[in-house]
Amino acid sequence: MTAQVLATSAGVLAVLMVTVWLVSLRLRNASIVDIVWGSTFVLVAWTALLLGDGTDSRRVLLTVLTTVWGLRLSIYLAWRNGIRHEDFRYAAMRRRDPEGFPRRSLVTVFLLQGLLAWIVSLPIQLAASGDDPDRLGVLAVAGIVVWIIGFAFESIGDLQLARFKADPANAGKVMDRGLWRYTRHPNYFGDFCVWWGIFLVAAEIPLARVGIVGPIVMSVLLTRVSGKPLLEKSLMKRREGYAEYVARTSGFFPRPPKR
């Protein structure tokens, strides 16, 4: 059953990403992959729920946690980004190789993100067919608490940033209020907690502990690859005072700012 869940999830993600890629060609905007990112995990969670034969309460809990997080993220990014302007990362790729961009974006953007989603969601998939234990325990409760902390940081941080940007008086200024006073990336820290929380819920199933590779990959993406480093490199160039903000504010884990 575990093999069936893993294989079906991979197939569902492949179909989704190819479909979104075809839409992106029509729109000439690869940025829609970012909007779909959260929903990929929702599809995997529901696939695991429907195909798995493990403890119902755990499968339902993992599906609810993933669905709430994934849909919020997709809806927020659709509202924030829309589909009118292509993200600078994809626009730069398109300029470098206009003719080869469609084929290259399929592999290095869409299918790659599908693969990453499959890996990150391994705890959900592996826990779907576990038979032991048959009830939620202390580890699952701890996971729920960590997930709530992460979801709160991500949601509140996004809301605070949206309100800050909506005020014309803040144009060009650095957001250093609310949660952003304690960490430069409350949304990324929130993602980090969400996926470690999901792992803890799943980890009561022995087989699902192998899925620790999932939150590890997500943590590396957020702190070392496409999250924090890429965003800060851009902000350093276009936000006056950002260097001072970096000097006094934690880069990831929340803490009081330095004086």
Side-chain angles (χ1 to χ4, degrees), residues 157 160-186 231-232 234-250:
Q160 290 174 339
L161 182 61
R163 287 178 174 176
F164 179 82
K165 288 183 174 181
D167 186 348
N170 295 325
K173 295 182 180 180
V174 175
M175 170 54 162
D176 59 356
R177 309 170 189 175
L179 295 178
W180 301 82
R181 171 179 168 82
Y182 303 100
T183 168
R184 302 198 297 271
H185 303 283
L231 178 59
E232 293 202 334
S234 172
L235 290 174
M236 281 288 191
K237 296 178 180 178
R238 55 191 176 89
R239 281 286 187 273
E240 184 179 353
Y242 195 76
E244 290 80 0
Y245 175 62
V246 169
R248 68 177 182 268
T249 310
S250 171

Side-chain angles (χ1 to χ4, degrees), residues 79-127:
W79 169 79
R80 188 190 72 178
N81 299 344
I83 58 174
R84 291 173 297 176
H85 303 292
E86 190 168 50
D87 185 274
F88 72 93
R89 297 168 296 170
Y90 310 125
M93 288 175 58
R94 191 185 296 275
R95 287 194 300 270
R96 286 195 296 267
D97 184 13
E99 294 184 0
F101 179 78
R103 181 179 63 256
R104 184 180 178 187
S105 67
L106 171 63
V107 177
T108 64
V109 177
F110 292 87
L111 292 181
L112 177 59
Q113 288 207 23
L115 174 61
L116 291 172
W118 185 85
I119 294 173
V120 171
S121 60
L122 278 175
I124 301 170
Q125 300 178 70
L126 295 175

Side-chain angles (χ1 to χ4, degrees), residues 12 41 116 212:
V12 168
F41 298 97
L116 291 172
I212 193 173

Side-chain angles (χ1 to χ4, degrees), residues 24-201:
S24 79
L25 297 182
R26 178 79 176 178
L27 297 175
R28 288 189 58 82
N29 187 349
S31 298
I32 60 173
V33 72
D34 298 331
I35 297 174
V36 175
W37 170 250
S39 299
T40 59
F41 298 97
V42 177
L43 284 179
V44 171
W46 279 92
T47 299
L49 175 65
L50 296 174
L51 295 182
D53 58 358
T55 306
D56 289 343
S57 58
R58 192 178 314 279
R59 285 187 295 130
V60 170
L61 175 59
L62 288 170
T63 302
V64 169
L65 296 179
T66 307
T67 300
V68 171
W69 171 81
L71 289 184
R72 189 214 72 86
L73 180 61
S74 286
I75 293 171
Y76 170 73
L77 291 178
W79 169 79
R80 188 190 72 178
N81 299 344
I83 58 174
R84 291 173 297 176
H85 303 292
E86 190 168 50
D87 185 274
F88 72 93
R89 297 168 296 170
Y90 310 125
M93 288 175 58
R94 191 185 296 275
R95 287 194 300 270
R96 286 195 296 267
D97 184 13
E99 294 184 0
F101 179 78
R103 181 179 63 256
R104 184 180 178 187
S105 67
L106 171 63
V107 177
T108 64
V109 177
F110 292 87
L111 292 181
L112 177 59
Q113 288 207 23
L115 174 61
L116 291 172
W118 185 85
I119 294 173
V120 171
S121 60
L122 278 175
I124 301 170
Q125 300 178 70
L126 295 175
S129 301
D131 297 325
D132 179 42
D134 61 355
R135 65 183 62 186
L136 301 176
V138 175
L139 201 58
V141 173
I144 295 172
V145 172
V146 173
W147 183 94
I148 291 173
I149 293 172
F151 189 76
F153 260 85
E154 184 174 2
S155 303
I156 295 172
D158 284 341
L159 177 60
Q160 290 174 339
L161 182 61
R163 287 178 174 176
F164 179 82
K165 288 183 174 181
D167 186 348
N170 295 325
K173 295 182 180 180
V174 175
M175 170 54 162
D176 59 356
R177 309 170 189 175
L179 295 178
W180 301 82
R181 171 179 168 82
Y182 303 100
T183 168
R184 302 198 297 271
H185 303 283
N187 46 355
Y188 292 158
F189 173 72
D191 274 350
F192 171 89
C193 290
V194 161
W195 281 99
W196 280 104
I198 287 174
F199 168 73
L200 290 175
V201 173

